[in-house]
PDB file of all heavy atoms in Angstrom:
ATOM      1  N   VAL A 312      -9.706 -29.178  20.799  1.00 88.00           N
ATOM      2  CA  VAL A 312     -10.705 -30.163  20.378  1.00 88.00           C
ATOM      3  C   VAL A 312     -10.453 -31.505  21.053  1.00 88.00           C
ATOM      4  O   VAL A 312      -9.315 -31.984  21.091  1.00 88.00           O
ATOM      5  CB  VAL A 312     -10.666 -30.338  18.842  1.00 88.00           C
ATOM      6  CG1 VAL A 312     -11.616 -31.457  18.403  1.00 88.00           C
ATOM      7  CG2 VAL A 312     -11.035 -29.033  18.155  1.00 88.00           C
ATOM      8  N   ASP A 313     -11.524 -32.092  21.570  1.00 88.00           N
ATOM      9  CA  ASP A 313     -11.445 -33.459  22.108  1.00 88.00           C
ATOM     10  C   ASP A 313     -11.239 -34.409  20.933  1.00 88.00           C
ATOM     11  O   ASP A 313     -12.044 -34.432  19.994  1.00 88.00           O
ATOM     12  CB  ASP A 313     -12.744 -33.788  22.851  1.00 88.00           C
ATOM     13  CG  ASP A 313     -12.651 -35.100  23.620  1.00 88.00           C
ATOM     14  OD1 ASP A 313     -12.139 -36.079  23.050  1.00 88.00           O
ATOM     15  OD2 ASP A 313     -13.098 -35.143  24.779  1.00 88.00           O
ATOM     16  N   THR A 314     -10.170 -35.194  20.965  1.00 87.00           N
ATOM     17  CA  THR A 314      -9.835 -36.037  19.820  1.00 87.00           C
ATOM     18  C   THR A 314     -10.919 -37.084  19.531  1.00 87.00           C
ATOM     19  O   THR A 314     -11.134 -37.456  18.374  1.00 87.00           O
ATOM     20  CB  THR A 314      -8.489 -36.747  20.055  1.00 87.00           C
ATOM     21  OG1 THR A 314      -8.508 -37.392  21.338  1.00 87.00           O
ATOM     22  CG2 THR A 314      -7.346 -35.760  20.023  1.00 87.00           C
ATOM     23  N   SER A 315     -11.619 -37.531  20.553  1.00 88.00           N
ATOM     24  CA  SER A 315     -12.711 -38.488  20.321  1.00 88.00           C
ATOM     25  C   SER A 315     -13.856 -37.825  19.564  1.00 88.00           C
ATOM     26  O   SER A 315     -14.473 -38.442  18.682  1.00 88.00           O
ATOM     27  CB  SER A 315     -13.213 -39.068  21.647  1.00 88.00           C
ATOM     28  OG  SER A 315     -13.702 -38.038  22.496  1.00 88.00           O
ATOM     29  N   ASP A 316     -14.133 -36.546  19.878  1.00 85.00           N
ATOM     30  CA  ASP A 316     -15.164 -35.805  19.143  1.00 85.00           C
ATOM     31  C   ASP A 316     -14.736 -35.576  17.695  1.00 85.00           C
ATOM     32  O   ASP A 316     -15.558 -35.637  16.774  1.00 85.00           O
ATOM     33  CB  ASP A 316     -15.433 -34.461  19.818  1.00 85.00           C
ATOM     34  CG  ASP A 316     -16.173 -34.611  21.131  1.00 85.00           C
ATOM     35  OD1 ASP A 316     -16.809 -35.663  21.339  1.00 85.00           O
ATOM     36  OD2 ASP A 316     -16.102 -33.684  21.960  1.00 85.00           O
ATOM     37  N   PHE A 317     -13.448 -35.299  17.504  1.00 85.00           N
ATOM     38  CA  PHE A 317     -12.947 -35.091  16.140  1.00 85.00           C
ATOM     39  C   PHE A 317     -13.099 -36.356  15.297  1.00 85.00           C
ATOM     40  O   PHE A 317     -13.542 -36.301  14.148  1.00 85.00           O
ATOM     41  CB  PHE A 317     -11.479 -34.663  16.182  1.00 85.00           C
ATOM     42  CG  PHE A 317     -10.851 -34.526  14.818  1.00 85.00           C
ATOM     43  CD1 PHE A 317     -11.064 -33.399  14.048  1.00 85.00           C
ATOM     44  CD2 PHE A 317     -10.048 -35.545  14.312  1.00 85.00           C
ATOM     45  CE1 PHE A 317     -10.498 -33.272  12.789  1.00 85.00           C
ATOM     46  CE2 PHE A 317      -9.477 -35.437  13.054  1.00 85.00           C
ATOM     47  CZ  PHE A 317      -9.695 -34.293  12.292  1.00 85.00           C
ATOM     48  N   LYS A 318     -12.733 -37.511  15.876  1.00 85.00           N
ATOM     49  CA  LYS A 318     -12.879 -38.776  15.146  1.00 85.00           C
ATOM     50  C   LYS A 318     -14.337 -39.036  14.796  1.00 85.00           C
ATOM     51  O   LYS A 318     -14.653 -39.494  13.688  1.00 85.00           O
ATOM     52  CB  LYS A 318     -12.326 -39.923  15.994  1.00 85.00           C
ATOM     53  CG  LYS A 318     -10.816 -39.881  16.199  1.00 85.00           C
ATOM     54  CD  LYS A 318     -10.365 -41.020  17.100  1.00 85.00           C
ATOM     55  CE  LYS A 318      -8.863 -40.957  17.348  1.00 85.00           C
ATOM     56  NZ  LYS A 318      -8.416 -42.041  18.268  1.00 85.00           N
ATOM     57  N   ARG A 319     -15.225 -38.721  15.735  1.00 84.00           N
ATOM     58  CA  ARG A 319     -16.653 -38.935  15.484  1.00 84.00           C
ATOM     59  C   ARG A 319     -17.150 -38.046  14.352  1.00 84.00           C
ATOM     60  O   ARG A 319     -17.863 -38.497  13.455  1.00 84.00           O
ATOM     61  CB  ARG A 319     -17.444 -38.660  16.770  1.00 84.00           C
ATOM     62  CG  ARG A 319     -18.965 -38.726  16.592  1.00 84.00           C
ATOM     63  CD  ARG A 319     -19.669 -38.472  17.921  1.00 84.00           C
ATOM     64  NE  ARG A 319     -19.260 -37.208  18.507  1.00 84.00           N
ATOM     65  CZ  ARG A 319     -19.793 -36.036  18.162  1.00 84.00           C
ATOM     66  NH1 ARG A 319     -20.738 -35.978  17.222  1.00 84.00           N
ATOM     67  NH2 ARG A 319     -19.392 -34.922  18.745  1.00 84.00           N
ATOM     68  N   GLN A 320     -16.746 -36.775  14.374  1.00 81.00           N
ATOM     69  CA  GLN A 320     -17.209 -35.848  13.339  1.00 81.00           C
ATOM     70  C   GLN A 320     -16.536 -36.124  12.001  1.00 81.00           C
ATOM     71  O   GLN A 320     -17.126 -35.870  10.957  1.00 81.00           O
ATOM     72  CB  GLN A 320     -16.948 -34.400  13.775  1.00 81.00           C
ATOM     73  CG  GLN A 320     -17.889 -33.879  14.842  1.00 81.00           C
ATOM     74  CD  GLN A 320     -19.318 -33.755  14.335  1.00 81.00           C
ATOM     75  OE1 GLN A 320     -19.644 -34.158  13.236  1.00 81.00           O
ATOM     76  NE2 GLN A 320     -20.180 -33.201  15.175  1.00 81.00           N
ATOM     77  N   PHE A 321     -15.299 -36.633  12.028  1.00 80.00           N
ATOM     78  CA  PHE A 321     -14.635 -36.935  10.765  1.00 80.00           C
ATOM     79  C   PHE A 321     -15.321 -38.115  10.072  1.00 80.00           C
ATOM     80  O   PHE A 321     -15.240 -38.243   8.842  1.00 80.00           O
ATOM     81  CB  PHE A 321     -13.149 -37.261  10.993  1.00 80.00           C
ATOM     82  CG  PHE A 321     -12.289 -36.955   9.803  1.00 80.00           C
ATOM     83  CD1 PHE A 321     -11.950 -35.652   9.504  1.00 80.00           C
ATOM     84  CD2 PHE A 321     -11.831 -37.965   8.972  1.00 80.00           C
ATOM     85  CE1 PHE A 321     -11.165 -35.348   8.401  1.00 80.00           C
ATOM     86  CE2 PHE A 321     -11.039 -37.680   7.869  1.00 80.00           C
ATOM     87  CZ  PHE A 321     -10.712 -36.365   7.581  1.00 80.00           C
ATOM     88  N   ARG A 322     -15.985 -38.944  10.861  1.00 82.00           N
ATOM     89  CA  ARG A 322     -16.774 -40.037  10.278  1.00 82.00           C
ATOM     90  C   ARG A 322     -18.190 -39.572   9.923  1.00 82.00           C
ATOM     91  O   ARG A 322     -18.960 -40.336   9.326  1.00 82.00           O
ATOM     92  CB  ARG A 322     -16.854 -41.211  11.260  1.00 82.00           C
ATOM     93  CG  ARG A 322     -15.500 -41.824  11.623  1.00 82.00           C
ATOM     94  CD  ARG A 322     -15.693 -43.107  12.410  1.00 82.00           C
ATOM     95  NE  ARG A 322     -14.430 -43.608  12.924  1.00 82.00           N
ATOM     96  CZ  ARG A 322     -14.031 -43.439  14.191  1.00 82.00           C
ATOM     97  NH1 ARG A 322     -14.806 -42.769  15.040  1.00 82.00           N
ATOM     98  NH2 ARG A 322     -12.871 -43.916  14.603  1.00 82.00           N
ATOM     99  N   ASN A 323     -18.518 -38.344  10.321  1.00 78.00           N
ATOM    100  CA  ASN A 323     -19.840 -37.784  10.037  1.00 78.00           C
ATOM    101  C   ASN A 323     -19.872 -37.301   8.589  1.00 78.00           C
ATOM    102  O   ASN A 323     -19.708 -36.121   8.300  1.00 78.00           O
ATOM    103  CB  ASN A 323     -20.139 -36.631  11.005  1.00 78.00           C
ATOM    104  CG  ASN A 323     -21.507 -36.013  10.760  1.00 78.00           C
ATOM    105  OD1 ASN A 323     -22.312 -36.542   9.984  1.00 78.00           O
ATOM    106  ND2 ASN A 323     -21.765 -34.896  11.405  1.00 78.00           N
ATOM    107  N   LYS A 324     -20.073 -38.236   7.685  1.00 85.00           N
ATOM    108  CA  LYS A 324     -20.006 -37.909   6.253  1.00 85.00           C
ATOM    109  C   LYS A 324     -21.065 -36.890   5.855  1.00 85.00           C
ATOM    110  O   LYS A 324     -20.835 -36.057   4.974  1.00 85.00           O
ATOM    111  CB  LYS A 324     -20.148 -39.184   5.416  1.00 85.00           C
ATOM    112  CG  LYS A 324     -19.013 -40.182   5.603  1.00 85.00           C
ATOM    113  CD  LYS A 324     -19.209 -41.395   4.722  1.00 85.00           C
ATOM    114  CE  LYS A 324     -18.024 -42.358   4.833  1.00 85.00           C
ATOM    115  NZ  LYS A 324     -17.839 -42.851   6.211  1.00 85.00           N
ATOM    116  N   THR A 325     -22.227 -36.922   6.506  1.00 90.00           N
ATOM    117  CA  THR A 325     -23.301 -35.989   6.149  1.00 90.00           C
ATOM    118  C   THR A 325     -22.875 -34.545   6.403  1.00 90.00           C
ATOM    119  O   THR A 325     -22.983 -33.686   5.521  1.00 90.00           O
ATOM    120  CB  THR A 325     -24.575 -36.296   6.956  1.00 90.00           C
ATOM    121  OG1 THR A 325     -25.002 -37.628   6.688  1.00 90.00           O
ATOM    122  CG2 THR A 325     -25.681 -35.323   6.580  1.00 90.00           C
ATOM    123  N   GLY A 326     -22.386 -34.272   7.614  1.00 89.00           N
ATOM    124  CA  GLY A 326     -21.981 -32.906   7.947  1.00 89.00           C
ATOM    125  C   GLY A 326     -20.859 -32.401   7.057  1.00 89.00           C
ATOM    126  O   GLY A 326     -20.886 -31.266   6.580  1.00 89.00           O
ATOM    127  N   ILE A 327     -19.861 -33.250   6.812  1.00 90.00           N
ATOM    128  CA  ILE A 327     -18.725 -32.834   5.990  1.00 90.00           C
ATOM    129  C   ILE A 327     -19.142 -32.627   4.540  1.00 90.00           C
ATOM    130  O   ILE A 327     -18.771 -31.631   3.904  1.00 90.00           O
ATOM    131  CB  ILE A 327     -17.591 -33.867   6.082  1.00 90.00           C
ATOM    132  CG1 ILE A 327     -16.980 -33.848   7.494  1.00 90.00           C
ATOM    133  CG2 ILE A 327     -16.516 -33.589   5.041  1.00 90.00           C
ATOM    134  CD1 ILE A 327     -15.872 -34.850   7.711  1.00 90.00           C
TER     135      ILE A 327
END
Side-chain angles (χ1 to χ4, degrees):
V312 175
D313 189 315
T314 51
S315 60
D316 288 340
F317 176 80
K318 292 178 182 178
R319 175 179 56 83
Q320 285 293 6
F321 207 76
R322 299 189 188 101
N323 180 9
K324 296 181 176 60
T325 300
I327 291 179

